Amino acid sequence: MSDNEIKVYFSDEAQVYTGHGSIMRLVVWPGNNEGKIVVHHLTVKPNESLKGHSHEFADDVINVIKGEGVIKTTGGKEIPIRKGASVIVPPGAHHEVCNTSSDEELEIIGVLTPPDVEFYKKAGLL
């Protein structure tokens, strides 16, 4: 595939990873693409959280497509999020995505650039 060729990926066909506190669909990642970007479709169950983490070299853009919650940062700050929000997390910033609803899933599309290859290696995915 050339650099200027359009490629389509589907969330419902993506590899699923559940070791991070959510259902993570690896839509575009180093396991299926050599590109400079990662796209994950994540579902966080009611009253649960995506494990706190940071990406040393990657910007993380969190796009909320369903539900509401908070992003917890170092120092205990809680940033409210809801459907329609786009949150930019800079490299190295610790963040934990929490679903604050008792009955609705929180769905987000996470976009990272560049890919955090170490995450996939630690998870045994690469």
Side-chain angles (χ1 to χ4, degrees):
M1 181 164 81
S2 68
D3 287 342
N4 64 349
E5 193 172 329
I6 295 173
K7 177 91 171 107
V8 177
Y9 298 86
F10 293 94
S11 179
D12 61 353
E13 297 173 1
Q15 180 170 338
V16 175
Y17 174 69
T18 58
H20 207 59
S22 69
I23 299 167
M24 182 184 297
R25 294 168 197 84
L26 308 175
V27 183
V28 179
W29 66 295
N32 68 1
N33 184 321
E34 298 288 325
K36 300 175 184 174
I37 196 164
V38 166
V39 178
H40 295 159
H41 181 172
L42 299 100
T43 303
V44 183
K45 294 180 181 177
N47 295 317
E48 294 192 10
S49 299
L50 176 63
K51 182 179 173 185
H53 62 285
S54 63
H55 307 282
E56 187 175 356
F57 301 108
D59 285 295
D60 189 355
V61 180
I62 299 168
N63 300 286
V64 182
I65 59 173
K66 178 182 174 187
E68 61 184 42
V70 297
I71 295 179
K72 294 181 181 179
T73 65
T74 304
K77 184 176 180 182
E78 293 189 3
I79 302 166
I81 57 173
R82 62 177 170 76
K83 181 180 176 180
S86 290
V87 182
I88 299 173
V89 181
H94 189 276
H95 54 290
E96 176 183 359
V97 179
C98 306
N99 184 348
T100 56
S101 174
S102 60
D103 60 356
E104 183 178 24
E105 292 179 333
L106 174 64
E107 283 193 54
I108 60 176
I109 302 293
V111 179
L112 281 81
T113 185
D116 186 350
V117 176
E118 287 305 309
F119 165 79
Y120 301 105
K121 289 180 180 177
K122 288 178 186 175
L125 295 165
L126 287 179

